[in-house]
Amino acid sequence: MAELKLFRTWSSPFALRVVWALDLKGIQFDTIFEDLTNKSSSLLQYNPIYKKVPVLVHNGKPLAESLVILEYIDETWKQTPLLPEDPSERATARFWAKFGDDKVLPSVWNVFIKQGKDQEEAIVTAHENLRNLEGLISGKKFFSGETIGLVDLAFGWLANLLGVFEE
Amino acid sequence: MRPWIALNIKSVNYEFLEETFGSKSQLLLQSNPVHKKIPVLIHVDKPIPESLIIVQYIDELWSSSPSILASDPYDHAIERFWAAYTDEKWFPALRGLRVAQEDEERKALKGPVIEGIVLLEEAFGKCSKGKAFFGGDQIGLIDIAFGCCLGWLKVTEKLSRVKLLDEEKTPGLVKWAERFCADGAVKGVMPETEKLVEFSKVLLAKLSGAPTKK
């Protein structure tokens, strides 16, 4: 049987994306929980450039960066596809997933960590970004339509972390 | 530049709409309302923004050879990883070095840029497997992603007086850069270094954060 290991932490939303993708496809894997204050030599060996989780190791071959990992999973295990077949719909899904990581997440994080006037400005930016998402999901069950797809996994952190940050 | 090269590789006909620096056309703002940036590919009225996403779209739609992305999922993932690294880590570091005005600042900023190039030299060795490009015999995603930064790399070497591609430290990339720039799909697309140097001086003079063409 193929060897599949996922290095993660309990709280990393990026690692959770990979867990959800593997679970959706019914794929078995081993989990290695990392302590980010004391990273294992395996993690540093498998992800020397970013030294972060998640890292997926498939038959000894490591992969880092959650969106890269999600596409790899989708190409390797074809059941329950995460991306649509049509190239322009795939491009749109990739665009929104990247928008989430490049803009939405940092803007929400800024609201969480900043104070005073900086926080007020951060709130305005976060709201603008979230309005884009509101337009995207309008009338649909999931961002990807009737079933969960790449964009839903990319934005999954909104479902629980926004509530945590708001509090 | 990246979508341009990809379309050339696939021998697809296209219409090129040049945007004027400092003012954005209605069509651009309509086609990319979220980021308001170039490049944007419009195919049968469907706009596709973000250069790497466009290149993948082109490769998937015109799937006849030559292929830009690898067929093996792991190799494909490695390509995406390095393309993303170039955009998210290395190119911003290069831009930071290029706009630095003081020598002390340049000294501090030079390190990460050179470290990145050394990493890319290693990646080149592994991905090319002794062949001409990151993609093997033909230009692939990493070639396009990193190759399109060569113009700005040369500008940075000139303006910041620092050697980035070096026959001793990065011999593979030095030869690769010559091959990339000489390739039929790239020649005619890559802007001349002198023109970019002048443009860079205009940008620095404005001290603006205007996005550069990718």
Side-chain angles (χ1 to χ4, degrees):
Chain A
M1 197 175 109
E3 189 199 57
L4 195 60
K5 286 196 258 201
L6 177 64
F7 288 79
R8 60 177 279 222
T9 58
W10 69 272
S11 60
S12 163
F14 302 101
L16 272 180
R17 292 170 174 173
V18 180
V19 173
W20 292 328
L22 293 170
D23 282 351
L24 275 170
K25 291 187 182 261
I27 300 160
Q28 306 282 345
F29 60 98
D30 293 325
T31 299
I32 293 121
F33 284 101
E34 283 285 326
D35 171 2
L36 295 181
T37 62
N38 183 17
K39 296 175 187 180
S40 71
S41 56
S42 297
L43 178 67
L44 298 175
Q45 182 198 327
Y46 287 135
N47 191 3
I49 292 167
Y50 294 108
K51 305 179 177 56
K52 288 195 216 174
V53 292
V55 171
L56 187 75
V57 184
H58 186 204
N59 292 333
K61 292 200 246 180
L63 280 174
E65 296 299 286
S66 60
L67 293 181
V68 169
I69 296 172
L70 288 186
E71 293 222 32
Y72 172 76
I73 289 170
D74 208 37
E75 283 170 27
T76 307
W77 292 279
K78 305 279 188 192
Q79 67 274 28
T80 319
L82 302 173
L83 277 170
E85 296 231 356
D86 174 70
S88 73
E89 288 176 34
R90 290 162 75 86
T92 304
R94 287 178 179 131
F95 173 82
W96 286 112
K98 192 166 185 294
F99 174 75
D101 281 3
D102 289 351
K103 300 276 179 198
V104 184
L105 187 62
S107 67
V108 169
W109 181 248
N110 279 339
V111 172
F112 181 52
I113 59 172
K114 291 198 170 170
Q115 309 276 349
K117 194 158 183 290
D118 286 342
Q119 192 187 50
E120 284 169 23
E121 286 171 11
I123 290 173
V124 170
T125 311
H127 273 152
E128 267 168 40
N129 288 328
L130 290 170
R131 260 196 294 276
N132 274 310
L133 295 191
E134 191 61 30
L136 193 63
I137 195 146
S138 168
K140 297 199 285 201
K141 194 170 170 187
F142 297 109
F143 285 106
S144 308
E146 283 299 304
T147 55
I148 288 176
L150 184 83
V151 182
D152 303 280
L153 296 186
F155 284 118
W157 61 270
L158 280 172
N160 70 322
L161 282 183
L162 263 194
V164 170
F165 290 162
E166 281 170 354
E167 202 172 318
Chain B
M1 260 183 71
R2 292 164 172 176
W4 210 348
I5 293 174
L7 290 168
N8 284 345
I9 289 172
K10 301 277 186 183
S11 306
V12 173
N13 285 326
Y14 55 87
E15 194 190 336
F16 180 71
L17 296 169
E18 181 139 12
E19 286 286 320
T20 310
F21 176 66
S23 88
K24 296 177 191 195
S25 71
Q26 259 314 106
L27 183 62
L28 174 64
L29 296 173
Q30 217 172 291
S31 308
N32 190 1
V34 174
H35 295 307
K36 306 179 179 50
K37 286 196 210 173
I38 47 167
V40 178
L41 182 79
I42 302 178
H43 184 220
V44 195
D45 295 337
K46 278 191 235 174
I48 316 243
E50 296 295 298
S51 63
L52 293 177
I53 293 177
I54 297 172
V55 170
Q56 287 178 95
Y57 171 78
I58 289 168
D59 199 44
E60 283 171 7
L61 198 60
W62 287 282
S63 51
S64 57
S65 60
S67 218
I68 296 174
L69 273 86
S71 48
D72 174 72
Y74 186 75
D75 292 340
H76 199 169
I78 295 292
E79 283 181 326
R80 286 207 183 95
F81 174 87
W82 284 111
Y85 171 81
T86 302
D87 273 8
E88 286 157 30
K89 236 177 156 179
W90 187 76
F91 194 71
L94 182 76
R95 188 192 286 131
L97 175 61
R98 190 176 73 248
V99 307
Q101 307 281 348
E102 308 293 322
D103 276 335
E104 279 306 309
E105 218 187 334
R106 280 193 195 126
K107 249 189 197 163
L109 293 172
K110 187 168 88 172
V113 178
I114 294 179
E115 274 160 33
I117 292 186
V118 168
L119 284 174
L120 285 160
E121 170 82 12
E122 272 174 46
F124 177 67
K126 287 190 187 143
C127 296
S128 66
K129 300 183 177 90
K131 294 189 179 172
F133 299 105
F134 282 91
D137 287 318
Q138 290 172 61
I139 286 178
L141 186 71
I142 311 174
D143 300 283
I144 293 179
F146 183 49
C148 292
C149 302
L150 283 172
W152 288 107
L153 184 151
K154 289 177 190 163
V155 170
T156 310
E157 282 183 325
K158 261 203 151 125
L159 291 184
S160 309
R161 292 184 294 274
V162 62
K163 201 143 203 291
L164 296 173
L165 283 186
D166 188 307
E167 283 88 10
E168 268 181 50
K169 286 198 193 121
T170 59
L173 285 182
V174 166
K175 296 205 178 71
W176 163 83
E178 287 167 12
R179 283 192 293 266
F180 181 79
C181 295
D183 188 271
V186 177
K187 234 175 170 179
V189 172
M190 184 74 84
E192 288 156 24
T193 309
E194 286 313 315
K195 239 183 155 183
L196 273 182
V197 166
E198 289 311 310
F199 181 60
S200 187
K201 289 179 181 166
V202 168
L203 281 179
L204 286 172
K206 283 194 172 184
L207 280 172
S208 73
T212 51
K213 275 190 188 184
K214 275 186 185 175

